[in-house]
Amino acid sequence: MPDDRVDDDGLARLRAELEHLRLLANTVPVAIAYYEAEGRTCRMANRRYAEMFGFDERNIIGRTLAAVIGDEAAARIEPYRHSVIEQQTAAAYEREVAGADGITRVVEVRLLPHVEAGGRSVGAFVLITDITHHRRAEAALRESEERLAKFMHASEEGIVFHKGGYITDVNPPLLNLLGYTMDEMLGRLTLEFIAPEAQQKVAEVIAAAPETRYDSVALHKDGTRIPVQFIVRTMQHQGEQQRLTIVRDIRDRLQAEQRIHHHAHHDALTGLPNRLAFVERLERRLAEARASGESLGLMFIDLDHFKRINDSLGHGVGDTLLKTVAQRITDALRMGDTVARFGGDEFLVLLAPRAGAPAVAEVGARLLATIGEPLMAGGVSVSVTPSIGVAMFPQDAVTSAELIQHADQAMYRAKSGGRARCRFFEPGMAEAALAELALESRLALAVRQSEFVLHFQPQAALGPAGLGGRAPASASRLLGVEALVRWAHPQRGLVGPDEFIPLAEARRLILPIGTWVLKEALAAAVRWRASAALGQGVAVPVAVNLAMLQFQTPGFADMVAQALEASGAEGSMLELELTERMLMSDLGEVRSALARLREMGVTITVDDFGTGYTSLAHLKDLPLHRLKIDRSFIAGLPEDAGSMAIARAIVQMGHGLGLQVVAEGVETAPQREAVQAMGCDALQGHLLAHPMPEPQLLQWLRGHAAA
Ligand code: C2E
Ligand code: MG
Ligand code: MG
């Protein structure tokens, strides 16, 4: 049959086709083989298959399945082989193949039955695909998902996955943070858990899907708003691209930031705004006032002699004092006013608009009164006065720096004017402050060159009214003289103590000046005692004024004892004048210093009485001899009822405590009659004599003795 016969051409064509098939079989990325059912021998294999088991396309032919893949593997796949041959169904399985090259591969094996026309199974095709990479990738993915799951659980921060804004996964910390269960959150819109005002931004980020971080506000189940930071990334999760958001609770951070801001803007001791905060606020208020045309008042408050309290009574007392003062200032102000601690013992007050300077002055007066009240600190009663300077906007200055500077200058003038007062800024104060600086450096020179002189003012006893009370003042008995210092300035002539004593106190120059005064006064008293003109042996006691700093210097009483000894004067020839304020500080120390002086025979007098805040109980406990009624009360006598009442009360109180009472600054006969009628024991003043240099005093004393 021509059909059955194959001519040479046909044979060549067949060979070519076979060659094509072989090429194809060796090119596909699949290992292919054919095994006979009978005998299980390999009838065909492509190169990939043969090499997988260490053969080539030719020498594998005729080998049994067990010989090719090994006994163990053959036994393992027997169930598949069986079902393919017996049931004529395809089978597929995965297994690992330890390749001839030593590498273990994961392969997918498919077995296809070869069924004859008669329905008999004659063999099976084997197709093997290397799926090693595929499996590895899968395993890696599984691992990373597991890692992510672990990480989500281990993280302390909230983590949420969402797709298109719908929540697909959350971790326990986030559930904790927001107060929901997993079921309550899955499948819901992320926006439902965001505070309304923060939703727009979140929606934008969901839509644009950038990798970003931003602050937002989440909502707890109970409605609490929770400030959070979102860190947003796109990530593979659950087999697809999802959005991962780390939810960081930033409440602590915000609190810390607020604390830092508070610290930066507040004074730790008093809790008041500090300089920085005040200047910021001042700038704002000035801008508002410029727009509205309103005026503002700025007060610069500095405590008088605060450093001494701090140094002598300790920082604990100083701190308590500052806190109390801060509270008192705050209490004295009204809504809209601002108080700040500017540093040290300085406070600034910005007054909201008020009806002009008189209203501001009223606040100043109120502050002077309330700050000056004594207070208990560290078991002692202390008091401190403020010096207040005021500058008004826009009259005195237009910028914040200038306003503060002018209030400061006004405060400085309040200090040099005697402290414990409120002064308004005036043009020219800056020059005055400069002049004061010049005075200060000149004063230091004056101390070195001893440019001081003493003037003396007599004091005379007052007889009982009606008994010689009408006699001329000069006729009354001489009690002593008060030594009053003057500065013999080379250009300016004699400068009064009110002009330089406050400055000398502030700069501690009062110590050498005070020592000089004491020595000079004692030397003078010794000279007078020896003076024949005054009658041998007649002592004229001399009174010396003390400054707070002198009295507070440790060993002050010893210094006085030495001065007495060096001069040859007895203690009874010396009277020391203290002010009420000096008695206020530390009662124990004051009492022991006074007791020692008293033992020496020194007379102790409280000067300028009535201007301080000494309590009666306090005076009662101290070894004192005299009170001098301040001359401001005498000036109003006898017309001013208030002055009369105060002077009378002081006399009665002084006598009640067994003290002598001296009226100072008596200028007129009616004044003298008034104080005499009240029962004052002595007087001092222009009516009797002005303060005078020693030669004039000696003359006056001679005249007085003759009378
Ligand atoms: P003070 O101790 O109250 O002295 C009395 C002041 O009143 C003296 O002023 C005196 O001149 C003045 N005076 C006396 N009689 C009258 C009068 O009838 N009318 C008027 N208007 N004034 C009268 P001075 O000398 O200017 O002294 C002022 C203050 O300076 C003294 O007040 C005293 O506190 C202080 N001072 C004076 N010398 C010294 C001193 O050596 N050391 C210290 N620490 N302070 C002194
Ligand atoms: Mg005096
Ligand atoms: Mg006085």
Side-chain angles (χ1 to χ4, degrees):
M1 298 251 292
D3 285 333
D4 291 329
R5 290 191 17 216
V6 177
D7 56 17
D8 281 356
D9 269 6
L11 200 64
R13 227 178 13 254
L14 204 59
R15 278 218 181 94
E17 271 171 24
L18 270 175
E19 188 52 27
H20 276 138
L21 274 175
R22 208 172 65 85
L23 255 175
L24 179 69
N26 283 338
T27 312
V28 291
V30 182
I32 305 170
Y34 178 83
Y35 283 87
E36 281 180 344
E38 198 81 19
R40 300 174 195 176
T41 49
C42 179
R43 303 287 336 141
M44 193 283 281
N46 71 352
R47 189 182 308 144
R48 194 179 286 268
Y49 185 91
E51 285 175 358
M52 187 179 278
F53 299 102
F55 301 98
D56 63 32
E57 295 158 76
R58 276 175 236 289
N59 67 11
I60 195 171
I61 306 297
R63 294 182 193 267
T64 63
L65 180 66
V68 173
I69 70 174
D71 291 334
E72 201 195 315
R76 201 146 1 100
I77 69 162
E78 179 54 24
Y80 303 105
R81 195 203 62 82
H82 189 262
S83 77
V84 170
I85 300 300
E86 302 303 326
Q87 274 132 49
Q88 300 180 350
T89 52
Y93 55 90
E94 276 176 28
R95 72 181 190 91
E96 284 185 358
V97 175
D101 54 6
I103 297 170
T104 300
R105 294 193 161 73
V106 183
V107 296
E108 185 188 61
V109 184
R110 261 167 295 162
L111 302 179
L112 306 171
H114 179 207
V115 182
E116 257 187 356
R120 191 171 67 96
S121 295
V122 291
F125 292 97
V126 183
L127 302 173
I128 298 179
T129 322
D130 186 343
I131 55 166
T132 311
H133 285 298
H134 192 62
R135 281 290 169 267
R136 280 212 191 116
E138 269 180 10
L141 185 64
R142 212 167 33 243
E143 250 173 53
S144 95
E145 290 263 342
E146 275 166 16
R147 259 205 315 272
L148 187 61
K150 265 189 209 150
F151 168 70
M152 275 181 76
H153 273 77
S155 168
E156 283 182 11
E157 291 172 326
I159 297 176
V160 56
F161 276 98
H162 57 91
K163 196 166 167 59
Y166 287 92
I167 296 172
T168 56
D169 202 359
V170 290
N171 70 345
L174 188 75
L175 298 173
N176 253 346
L177 183 68
L178 300 185
Y180 289 96
T181 64
M182 180 76 91
D183 287 346
E184 286 170 329
M185 287 198 79
L186 289 185
R188 285 180 55 190
L189 273 173
T190 48
L191 282 184
E192 293 178 47
F193 305 92
I194 303 294
E197 79 278 6
Q199 285 178 357
Q200 192 187 338
K201 166 81 183 170
V202 175
E204 280 167 21
V205 173
I206 289 174
E211 308 241 308
T212 180
R213 89 170 47 205
Y214 61 103
D215 288 355
S216 187
V217 181
L219 283 183
H220 189 271
K221 191 177 180 181
D222 66 12
T224 308
R225 298 157 49 83
I226 305 173
V228 290
Q229 184 185 50
F230 289 144
I231 303 168
V232 196
R233 298 280 180 270
T234 300
M235 262 189 96
Q236 192 71 19
H237 186 54
Q238 296 164 339
E240 54 184 350
Q241 294 272 307
Q242 294 199 358
R243 296 284 282 167
L244 162 119
T245 303
I246 295 174
V247 182
R248 194 168 275 175
D249 181 356
I250 55 172
R251 281 176 292 193
D252 287 352
R253 190 193 84 194
L254 291 186
Q255 257 174 23
E257 279 172 7
Q258 272 162 10
R259 266 201 302 278
I260 289 168
H261 185 268
H262 186 89
H263 281 317
H265 287 76
H266 285 81
D267 163 48
L269 178 67
T270 61
L272 291 179
N274 62 12
R275 178 189 292 247
L276 175 69
F278 185 86
V279 172
E280 281 175 15
R281 212 169 293 181
L282 177 60
E283 295 282 358
R284 276 202 303 277
R285 296 303 304 274
L286 286 183
E288 287 165 19
R290 268 179 216 118
S292 65
E294 281 169 325
S295 76
L296 298 171
L298 182 79
M299 286 184 162
F300 201 114
I301 304 175
D302 187 288
L303 302 182
D304 300 330
H305 306 308
F306 175 75
K307 196 180 155 346
R308 281 183 219 167
I309 293 178
N310 223 24
D311 291 350
S312 60
L313 299 180
H315 294 276
V317 172
D319 285 355
T320 308
L321 187 73
L322 287 174
K323 279 194 251 183
T324 309
V325 167
Q327 192 56 50
R328 287 178 179 178
I329 297 176
T330 309
D331 291 345
L333 301 178
R334 64 181 195 202
M335 281 267 289
D337 297 340
T338 303
V339 54
R341 181 164 174 224
F342 212 48
D345 59 346
E346 295 172 342
F347 295 87
L348 280 181
V349 173
L350 178 62
L351 296 174
R354 277 175 169 74
V360 173
E362 220 170 88
V363 178
R366 197 157 66 232
L367 288 175
L368 282 171
T370 170
I371 295 175
E373 273 174 50
L375 63 108
M376 289 301 291
V380 294
S381 166
V382 287
S383 72
V384 67
T385 52
S387 292
I388 305 177
V390 183
M392 300 289 292
F393 171 90
Q395 298 88 318
D396 297 333
V398 288
T399 67
S400 63
E402 209 185 1
L403 200 61
I404 293 173
Q405 193 192 357
H406 285 177
D408 187 16
Q409 282 166 9
M411 184 278 293
Y412 199 76
R413 294 305 295 171
K415 288 238 183 236
S416 59
R419 300 193 165 78
R421 62 201 65 206
C422 177
R423 295 255 340 226
F424 277 68
F425 173 79
E426 287 159 22
M429 271 187 172
E431 290 79 65
L434 272 179
E436 200 146 287
L437 274 180
L439 182 71
E440 181 186 332
S441 55
R442 189 59 193 77
L443 187 60
L445 184 65
V447 169
R448 284 201 295 280
Q449 300 183 348
S450 294
E451 295 175 352
F452 300 100
V453 293
L454 287 184
H455 282 191
F456 301 94
Q457 187 178 33
Q459 302 171 351
L462 273 170
L467 285 179
R470 306 247 160 226
S474 57
S476 42
R477 188 168 58 88
L478 180 76
L479 277 185
V481 297
E482 178 174 4
L484 295 159
V485 71
R486 275 98 183 87
W487 175 7
H489 192 286
Q491 281 85 43
R492 291 172 57 189
L494 282 190
V495 179
D498 283 341
E499 268 192 71
F500 66 90
I501 291 285
L503 187 66
E505 288 200 69
R507 303 294 176 267
R508 302 180 77 87
L509 289 168
I510 194 68
L511 291 177
I513 296 175
T515 307
W516 180 87
V517 169
L518 181 66
K519 283 185 182 149
E520 282 300 303
L522 287 174
V526 169
R527 279 197 295 277
W528 305 330
R529 186 181 55 185
S531 164
L534 294 173
Q536 289 289 346
V538 176
V540 179
V542 66
V544 169
N545 293 283
L546 290 183
M548 173 93 98
L549 199 58
Q550 287 175 279
F551 190 61
Q552 281 176 341
T553 305
F556 172 72
D558 296 335
M559 193 275 275
V560 174
Q562 277 162 21
L564 283 170
E565 206 188 307
S567 64
E570 287 101 49
S572 61
M573 291 162 68
L574 180 64
E575 175 178 351
L576 290 177
E577 296 192 3
L578 292 80
T579 58
E580 284 177 80
R581 198 159 293 287
M582 296 185 203
L583 303 176
M584 291 302 296
S585 33
D586 185 336
L587 194 54
E589 259 175 51
V590 169
R591 194 190 289 124
S592 64
L594 292 183
R596 275 216 54 200
L597 292 168
R598 196 188 162 119
E599 270 168 35
M600 297 176 214
V602 175
T603 302
I604 310 290
T605 298
V606 183
D607 200 358
D608 304 338
F609 192 80
T611 54
Y613 298 95
T614 321
S615 71
L616 282 180
H618 204 107
L619 280 187
K620 171 171 76 53
D621 288 340
L622 294 171
L624 304 171
H625 297 97
R626 291 180 169 176
L627 294 183
K628 282 174 106 171
I629 307 175
D630 191 67
R631 62 169 193 274
S632 61
F633 301 113
I634 306 299
L637 303 186
E639 297 83 12
D640 184 60
S643 296
M644 282 293 280
I646 292 172
R648 199 176 284 128
I650 293 175
V651 174
Q652 280 168 12
M653 189 202 83
H655 284 167
L657 291 172
L659 306 176
Q660 288 182 355
V661 181
V662 183
E664 72 176 344
V666 176
E667 295 179 347
T668 65
Q671 283 172 353
R672 191 198 57 162
E673 279 151 28
V675 298
Q676 190 168 25
M678 286 174 197
C680 272
D681 302 285
L683 66 76
Q684 180 181 347
H686 295 168
L687 183 66
L688 184 65
H690 283 257
M692 48 202 153
E694 191 177 355
Q696 277 96 310
L697 176 80
L698 288 174
Q699 236 172 11
W700 187 92
L701 288 176
R702 274 186 218 108
H704 186 83

